Amino acid sequence: MKNERRLRLPLQGALALTCLALLGACGHSPRRDSQPPESCRPWHSVRANGIDIEYETFGEEGNPPLLLIMGLSAQMVYWDEGFIDQLVRRGFRVIRFDNRDVGRSTHFHAAGVPSQASASQGPTSSSPPEARYLLSDMAADAVGLLDALGIKAAHVVGLSMGGMIAQEFAIRHPERVLSLTSLMSSTGDPSLPGPKPELMPLFELLLSPTRDREQAIEHGMRLFRAIASPGFPLDEAALRKKVALSYDRCYDPAGVVRQQAAITASGSRKQALASVRAPTLVIHGKEDPVIPVEAAIDTARSIPGAELLVVEGMGHDLPREVWPRIAEAIAANAARAPGERRSGREAP
């Protein structure tokens, strides 16, 4: 049917378009020097995996740890504290953090900026992408954060690119994962469908740079409106506050290009996911216009014993109305972990 048609691009290319759209929304030129902007330097952070990682915790320290990993270009503040509270009330100690190259964690300015064409090319390209690091390195950052916090293992929840990082985490560090939740993400299989074609003009529009803060925020709002859940009301005021906070806190377009190149260069995890033994939950919006629901079906089929939750009316965001359901599903999946591992700490 006409309204079901989607642009048949590699999923990595779809994410690249999202990335480049957000670059336009920022309006800063990529930096190539070795020193990040003053506003990008970390505040309260720990040294982990050779970088500084900005993080925040919620809940009682003795509760089972749950690590939240955010997506492409998104800072930890996009994990809404209301959603985090849902998890805390279910008995978790929740940890959120800035991935490398966003927010107040380390930015890899000295590594330079891959070309946008290289960062967005599909896996069948004749030349390899110019990645400065891989998703496996970002997973190692998350492991390093757990090390710095004295946590042996955690329940791991990743959203979009964060779901890809969480998958790498489970593949490469299985002993550190109590349970896995892959949220609106993908295996990276290049045969999967890309975003809805009607998003393309908006992405192209947002490529136009601006140095005006208010215009940048409005561009960001237009993008988020386009990928929001059609079945739920959009909290415009709360979203605008997050977009503005993220812009003021630190928005680094060059870092986002490096993240996108990492997605492209890391390729498909489809075969490797067969090794995952942690209890796994795959959550996806049925109306996701960026990463179609086929990606969730593919992910669930690729991981032995994985459970699939498709949310009617949900797009590529987490509307307030679904928080209780998703938090409860994450808690139920965590309960499938062996009892002696639930605390995530060494037995006495």
Side-chain angles (χ1 to χ4, degrees), residues 140-225:
D141 293 344
V143 172
L145 175 58
L146 295 186
D147 288 341
L149 297 178
I151 297 172
K152 179 185 176 185
H155 303 284
V156 180
V157 178
L159 183 151
S160 196
M161 181 190 74
M164 302 173 193
I165 296 170
Q167 291 171 21
E168 288 279 1
F169 194 130
I171 291 166
R172 297 173 181 273
H173 310 277
E175 74 285 356
R176 310 299 297 271
V177 180
L178 302 178
S179 70
L180 170 66
T181 299
S182 181
L183 180 58
M184 62 182 79
S185 193
S186 169
T187 64
D189 185 340
S191 69
L192 291 168
K196 286 187 174 182
E198 52 263 39
L199 291 177
M200 297 305 114
L202 178 60
F203 289 150
E204 292 171 4
L205 173 65
L206 290 174
L207 290 178
S208 301
T210 173
R211 294 184 180 276
D212 179 81
R213 177 181 181 273
E214 292 307 313
Q215 187 179 16
I217 292 171
E218 187 55 40
H219 281 186
M221 291 295 295
R222 292 184 67 181
L223 174 63
F224 283 116
R225 289 187 193 110

Side-chain angles (χ1 to χ4, degrees), residues 11-12 164 167 182 185-193 267-274 280-284 291-310:
L11 188 59
Q12 292 89 342
M164 302 173 193
Q167 291 171 21
S182 181
S185 193
S186 169
T187 64
D189 185 340
S191 69
L192 291 168
S268 174
R269 292 164 298 283
K270 187 176 177 66
Q271 291 186 350
L273 285 169
T280 299
L281 172 66
V282 178
I283 305 175
H284 215 95
I291 303 180
V293 71
E294 289 88 344
I297 297 169
D298 181 57
T299 303
R301 288 175 176 170
S302 300
I303 301 174
E307 296 184 352
L308 175 62
L309 172 60
V310 176

Side-chain angles (χ1 to χ4, degrees), residues 31-36 107-111:
R31 294 175 59 99
R32 296 180 180 273
D33 57 306
S34 60
Q35 291 296 321
H107 290 239
F108 284 66
H109 295 279

